[in-house]
Amino acid sequence: MNISLFKALGIIDCCVFKRLDADHYETLYAEHEWIDLLLPQARQEKSFTSPCDSPFLDDFLMQAEEFWEYADYGKIESGIWNEKINDQELKLNAYATMDNGDFYLIIDNVLDLFKQRQKTLQSARELLLSNDKIVAQQEYIHQRLDELLNQSTTLKNIQQPITEVIEKTEVGVAILSPNLQPISQNPALYSVFDTQLAQAETEPYQLILQLFEKQYPEFERVISTGSRWSGELFWLQPPGNGKWLKLAIYPVKTDFQQITHWVFIVNDISQVKHLLQNNEKLTHYDALTDIPNRQYFWMQLEQSVNNAMPFYLLYLDIKNFKRINEIHGHSRGDQIIQELVERIAPHISASDMLARIGGGEFAIIRQKTVTEQQCIDLGHILIETATQPFYLPNGTHCEIGLNIGAASFPRDADDAETLMKFADLAVFNAKKATKSSVQFYSQKLKDASQRIIELENALQNAITNHEFELFLQPMLDLTTGTILKAEALLRWNRLDTEKIGPDEFIPIAEQTGLIVPIGKWVISKACEMISTLNHRGQNCKLSVNLSPRQISDRHLLDFIRTSIKNNHIQPDQLELELTEGVLVDNYDKVQFLLTEVRKLGVSVSIDDFGTGYSSLSYLKKLPIDHIKIDRSFIQDLVNDENDKAIILAIIAMAHSLKLNVIAEGVETELQRNFLQLNHCNLAQGYLFSRPLPFAQFCDYLTTTANQTLIGQSALGPK
């Protein structure tokens, strides 16, 4: 490994180790004496083994092993953590990377750099811009605690590991029960609030909850919906001193999205705020974008309410901004924020105010008298502006979206806090939709939000209550009329006899993460159905859909293997369907998953092909067997020459890549004849059969097989 790579990574005061095998590392570069405090054997024996005496480093090495096993390139980092050994303080950051097939661990001592940056006023701006590093540290602690807490619903068996994680960190941590009662609070949390809490007989977690509820309208929504949240709190200490706190709230949930714990992580950022107060511009303006910050926004919002003139409040939220930071890094995320503001600012009139009120959140106060439709029109302009690709320095590009919630003063609320709460509810509801949208607060929206919450709660128990059912829709060979396979389609029949359509409950399941356990039930049930078909002598492959959230489930591959094995079926009797959007958004994870399932013998189909992504290049890179032409191209192909041309192009391209083509949504003989004439391989749709319950599907298989044997057509309407 060349030393120039260290410089390229921006690492100077570092030590470098090469991974020899699991838990065993060779020392390549360790010229600095501070490493003796952390890893005494590293310089003496020119190697070290894990675990070591640092729980932070041990946890990161576990992450690194997973990264080295599955990733092909890149690097991951731990985020800064503190070590205090023999009264000597270290501030460290670890990296796991790879070069020419070898794996490397780099430990960087950032203490000197940290001290140097605090010497000047400019450090205030730098520290503000490095807020993402604080967020990364909070996220790191959250991930470690999340893994531990998910091992058990109680802390009985994991109290010691929990203690090791939170006791040694200088970041304040509180672990609370689902009803917000204290389970564990570390010494650093008490030190944040000095000794005054003891005098007031108030616990740190109580004060945090009080400050959060008083200072943020989002409090009720965050707690009731079990959402993640981060922001700044101000604590006024008698007789007049104050502290600024960076708070991150993380709910720990089961696969069924039931909250088992709350994790509160607190950083004291008073020093940064104190330095910023010496510069009025930095006090009221966001250092990254140079537009008003949350503090200035609230001043202006209160002033607008006091003026008693009608106005609109728009709340803008960048879709999946956390994921953008994870994939491209926080510095790239900052660049996207800056460019986004440059794009949308020209569309904001001089009488309005655009402010950055959170990491990926903005607000607009429309002071000028405008109509609701004009606000909607502005929202659509901003959404269209934001959806244009953002090009990164390395030549790649990424796409983002905006969700916008809006509320009207004084129609919806006559005070700033309630108005903000309603705008927050509107954007929260907008985020439930797949596409970017503008939503205004209304009683109907409030009722819809209650409906969503009701369905979320009901979904948590739907599997255990046996409320789900798989319907099967056959796919026929257009040449022979033989049923070769069927698509498994999920149906939800609530115990109160209400039938919930998949268009309503699937987005909720995807948004909440419930799609992961539900998706596992679908895979398990499909394998069980295949086994039953085998025993009946009816050989038919079943195809199940995978959602984007399922692709990110690292246990999915093992679950597929286990389901196939437990049901004693052949892997080639199961097929996985992914939308082409998943290929683009999760390419690295998809590539690994599809490669492994193909090794098993499971086939792969790409659903909804041609509906919005330029993913043609992925077809030759990924192990794919079939592509499905989206029904939107089939519906009017007889009358629309463009649809005909698209279908012919897809068929020709797929066959040149040795892929089979499936047409979905076939409803007429004319559609079937066109597809058959142009060598489409398979088709599904109401012309052949609607989705059927399993028993009816078995009967349909038998009937169709008998008709084929006696030479009759099986392709007429059912």
Side-chain angles (χ1 to χ4, degrees):
M1 191 181 194
N2 196 296
I3 194 67
S4 62
L5 182 57
F6 308 156
K7 296 178 180 179
L9 292 170
I11 301 170
I12 300 173
D13 188 7
C14 69
C15 296
V16 183
F17 306 92
K18 180 179 179 181
R19 179 187 178 276
L20 301 179
D21 50 46
D23 303 330
H24 189 202
Y25 301 82
E26 175 189 2
T27 302
L28 298 184
Y29 178 77
E31 300 297 326
H32 306 285
E33 295 181 356
W34 54 262
I35 195 63
D36 294 338
L37 299 173
L38 183 67
L39 300 169
Q41 71 274 37
R43 292 209 302 168
Q44 299 171 4
E45 303 174 8
K46 294 299 180 182
S47 67
F48 82 93
T49 58
S50 65
C52 51
D53 294 330
S54 169
F56 283 100
L57 183 56
D58 286 341
D59 283 339
F60 178 67
L61 291 177
M62 292 173 61
Q63 277 189 309
E65 287 294 333
E66 184 174 354
F67 167 72
W68 287 325
E69 181 179 357
Y70 296 118
D72 295 324
Y73 62 92
K75 68 182 178 71
I76 59 170
E77 65 175 291
S78 64
I80 297 174
W81 84 89
N82 296 305
E83 294 279 358
K84 196 167 185 180
I85 307 171
N86 299 330
D87 296 327
Q88 185 168 343
E89 180 185 13
L90 297 175
K91 286 188 179 292
L92 303 172
N93 197 11
Y95 301 80
T97 186
M98 55 187 66
D99 183 38
N100 293 327
D102 293 322
F103 305 137
Y104 297 92
L105 170 70
I106 303 167
I107 303 177
D108 184 20
N109 181 16
V110 297
L111 179 61
D112 291 338
L113 181 61
F114 183 82
K115 290 180 178 178
Q116 180 182 3
R117 286 183 175 178
Q118 293 193 16
K119 291 181 180 179
T120 64
L121 181 62
Q122 180 61 22
S123 68
R125 190 177 184 93
E126 292 179 2
L127 286 169
L128 190 63
L129 290 173
S130 68
N131 176 65
D132 285 334
K133 290 188 177 180
I134 294 176
V135 174
Q137 184 183 38
Q138 292 179 332
E139 183 69 21
Y140 171 79
I141 295 172
H142 157 244
Q143 289 175 352
R144 302 281 67 76
L145 291 176
D146 189 70
E147 291 173 2
L148 290 169
L149 291 168
N150 271 321
Q151 294 176 16
S152 173
T153 56
T154 68
L155 295 181
K156 181 177 180 180
N157 298 325
I158 53 172
Q159 187 67 53
Q160 186 60 35
I162 289 284
T163 301
E164 290 178 356
V165 169
I166 69 175
E167 293 290 320
K168 288 191 176 184
T169 178
E170 295 181 359
V171 176
V173 179
I175 302 174
L176 308 182
S177 68
N179 60 349
L180 301 176
Q181 295 303 305
I183 293 175
S184 181
Q185 300 176 86
N186 71 341
L189 187 62
Y190 281 90
S191 67
V192 167
F193 296 99
D194 301 323
T195 58
Q196 308 216 4
L197 288 181
Q199 299 171 5
E201 298 183 352
T202 303
E203 291 289 320
Y205 83 95
Q206 294 174 312
L207 186 52
I208 293 169
L209 287 172
Q210 292 168 9
L211 294 174
F212 182 27
E213 183 174 14
K214 183 177 180 181
Q215 297 178 23
Y216 285 89
E218 300 97 309
F219 173 82
E220 181 180 340
R221 190 261 300 166
V222 170
I223 300 302
S224 64
T225 61
S227 302
R228 294 168 54 136
W229 183 88
S230 65
E232 297 175 358
L233 304 176
F234 181 72
W235 176 43
L236 183 62
Q237 297 174 270
N241 297 323
K243 275 192 176 184
W244 284 95
L245 310 173
K246 179 78 173 179
L247 170 65
I249 298 175
Y250 302 96
V252 179
K253 302 180 180 181
T254 66
D255 281 348
F256 294 96
Q257 300 304 293
Q258 295 173 324
I259 296 176
T260 61
H261 305 84
W262 289 92
V263 176
F264 284 24
I265 304 176
V266 179
N267 293 72
D268 185 346
I269 57 171
S270 302
Q271 183 179 13
V272 177
K273 288 291 185 179
H274 174 72
L275 291 171
L276 292 177
Q277 287 169 2
N278 293 328
N279 185 313
E280 184 178 356
K281 187 174 186 216
L282 290 179
T283 302
H284 292 141
Y285 285 79
D286 178 58
L288 180 65
T289 61
D290 209 29
I291 63 174
N293 59 17
R294 187 182 182 97
Q295 182 178 350
Y296 193 10
F297 160 77
W298 272 100
M299 292 170 54
Q300 189 64 44
L301 184 61
E302 294 278 5
Q303 184 61 50
S304 299
V305 169
N306 292 337
N307 291 340
M309 296 293 292
F311 68 91
Y312 288 96
L313 171 64
L314 276 63
Y315 194 141
L316 286 62
D317 181 83
I318 300 178
K319 295 178 65 174
N320 301 318
F321 186 63
K322 175 179 177 289
R323 185 168 166 272
I324 291 171
N325 280 330
E326 290 174 347
I327 294 175
H328 301 288
H330 291 283
S331 62
R332 297 288 185 263
D334 287 347
Q335 292 175 10
I336 290 173
I337 288 287
Q338 288 174 313
E339 185 176 342
L340 176 63
V341 171
E342 291 173 0
R343 290 186 189 184
I344 66 178
H347 299 286
I348 311 300
S349 67
S351 59
D352 299 339
M353 187 184 80
L354 170 67
R356 186 186 183 199
I357 59 175
E361 299 170 334
F362 300 85
I364 299 173
I365 300 175
R366 299 212 71 181
Q367 299 283 7
K368 186 178 178 181
T369 303
V370 295
T371 66
E372 181 172 313
Q373 186 58 50
Q374 287 173 314
C375 284
I376 293 173
D377 292 341
L378 173 63
H380 288 153
I381 290 172
L382 300 182
I383 288 172
E384 183 179 356
T385 301
T387 53
Q388 301 302 312
F390 289 79
Y391 291 92
L392 304 177
N394 62 3
T396 62
H397 72 276
C398 68
E399 297 178 355
I400 67 171
L402 278 182
N403 285 311
I404 301 177
S408 172
F409 173 88
R411 184 190 68 191
D412 297 327
D414 57 5
D415 66 273
E417 182 175 336
T418 306
L419 192 68
M420 188 65 181
K421 182 185 296 184
F422 287 167
D424 175 71
L425 176 62
V427 78
F428 180 73
N429 203 65
K431 289 161 69 173
K432 299 289 184 180
T434 303
K435 294 183 178 180
S436 298
S437 62
V438 183
Q439 292 206 20
F440 267 77
Y441 172 80
S442 65
Q443 186 60 43
K444 182 179 179 181
L445 182 148
K446 189 174 183 179
D447 294 341
S449 180
Q450 288 300 118
R451 167 71 170 174
I452 290 172
I453 293 173
E454 176 200 351
L455 291 181
E456 285 180 10
N457 294 332
L459 273 172
Q460 292 176 2
N461 301 313
I463 293 179
T464 54
N465 291 338
H466 307 289
E467 297 176 21
F468 287 125
E469 183 179 6
L470 277 191
F471 279 41
L472 302 177
Q473 186 174 33
M475 303 182 206
L476 284 76
D477 186 314
L478 283 175
T479 302
T480 65
T482 306
I483 298 175
L484 296 183
K485 55 185 176 180
E487 181 177 1
L489 299 167
L490 186 62
R491 298 293 183 261
W492 183 18
N493 306 312
R494 292 184 65 177
L495 292 180
D496 57 9
T497 71
E498 181 186 12
K499 296 182 183 298
I500 313 297
D503 289 345
E504 184 176 10
F505 75 81
I506 292 296
I508 296 174
E510 180 72 27
Q511 182 75 23
T512 59
L514 286 167
I515 196 67
V516 174
I518 292 173
K520 288 180 178 178
W521 181 88
V522 170
I523 292 170
S524 178
K525 189 66 176 178
C527 291
E528 180 185 322
M529 287 180 169
I530 293 171
S531 178
T532 301
L533 289 170
N534 288 344
H535 284 96
R536 291 171 58 96
Q538 296 174 309
N539 184 24
C540 183
K541 176 183 291 191
L542 297 189
S543 179
V544 298
N545 294 278
L546 293 184
S547 76
R549 186 71 76 96
Q550 285 178 275
I551 296 297
S552 299
D553 178 16
R554 61 182 179 179
H555 303 298
L556 176 62
L557 181 60
D558 288 337
F559 185 83
I560 292 172
R561 286 195 188 103
T562 302
S563 298
I564 292 172
K565 180 179 179 181
N566 290 346
N567 287 280
H568 308 289
I569 65 174
Q570 295 301 313
D572 62 4
Q573 294 180 288
L574 181 67
E575 183 166 285
L576 303 180
E577 281 194 25
L578 300 83
T579 62
E580 60 171 326
V582 176
L583 303 186
V584 177
D585 294 338
N586 297 281
Y587 178 73
D588 291 336
K589 292 178 180 178
V590 168
Q591 184 184 44
F592 171 76
L593 174 65
L594 298 192
T595 300
E596 293 303 311
V597 297
R598 278 288 295 275
K599 290 178 182 176
L600 290 177
V602 176
S603 59
V604 177
S605 178
I606 303 303
D607 196 10
D608 299 336
F609 189 80
T611 55
Y613 288 85
S614 299
S615 58
L616 300 181
S617 61
Y618 295 129
L619 295 183
K620 64 180 182 180
K621 297 178 183 177
L622 294 172
I624 296 168
D625 301 283
H626 316 278
I627 59 174
K628 298 181 75 172
I629 304 175
D630 186 68
R631 67 181 65 248
S632 61
F633 299 116
I634 305 297
Q635 288 174 348
D636 200 31
L637 70 84
V638 176
N639 301 315
D640 192 321
E641 294 299 322
N642 290 331
D643 283 348
K644 284 184 180 179
I646 292 172
I647 292 171
L648 293 175
I650 292 175
I651 293 174
M653 177 204 64
H655 287 170
S656 69
L657 295 172
K658 296 182 173 29
L659 303 176
N660 287 325
V661 181
I662 306 166
E664 57 182 355
V666 179
E667 299 180 357
T668 69
E669 291 283 358
L670 290 174
Q671 292 170 349
R672 183 193 70 176
N673 293 338
F674 175 85
L675 293 166
Q676 184 177 11
L677 179 65
N678 290 284
H679 310 293
C680 180
N681 303 99
L682 290 89
Q684 70 181 102
Y686 288 176
L687 175 63
F688 315 113
S689 172
R690 291 176 177 270
L692 300 171
F694 183 62
Q696 293 182 30
F697 176 77
C698 292
D699 293 340
Y700 182 74
L701 270 181
T702 301
T703 302
T704 306
N706 290 338
Q707 290 176 343
T708 302
L709 287 174
I710 63 176
Q712 297 178 353
S713 172
L715 300 180
K718 184 172 177 64

